[in-house]
Amino acid sequence: KDIQYVDSYCYDKLEYARFDSNVGKFVGYTEFGVKNAERWNKDTSLIAALNAQRETYCMNNVGINYPNI
């Protein structure tokens, strides 16, 4: 439950949007990011795919990176 998948979108060293598996949706940090986050959040297949990334990528690799857990 402590593991999360984060996908950040940056332009010119400024993060404008982020997907966080704990939140379960995109969050915008700038005006451009908020508009894109609203558009991306409407795509349920994209949200489902990114939530699945936590299971397929993070959960499988936690044992490799942290063998004592």
Side-chain angles (χ1 to χ4, degrees):
K1 293 182 180 181
D2 294 336
I3 297 170
Q4 70 185 71
Y5 176 77
V6 176
D7 192 10
S8 296
Y9 295 86
C10 301
Y11 178 75
D12 199 21
K13 298 181 183 180
L14 178 66
E15 182 179 31
Y16 63 89
R18 173 190 295 178
F19 176 82
D20 187 343
S21 65
N22 287 345
V23 177
K25 65 179 184 176
F26 285 93
V27 177
Y29 296 107
T30 65
E31 182 180 353
F32 177 70
V34 169
K35 290 179 183 179
N36 279 299
E38 289 173 357
R39 182 171 50 95
W40 293 331
N41 286 331
K42 291 179 184 176
D43 187 357
T44 56
S45 62
L46 175 63
I47 299 297
L50 289 171
N51 279 322
Q53 286 294 316
R54 178 182 177 269
E55 298 299 321
T56 58
Y57 182 77
C58 298
M59 300 304 283
N60 286 333
N61 290 318
V62 72
I64 296 169
N65 294 329
Y66 303 99
N68 295 330
I69 292 179

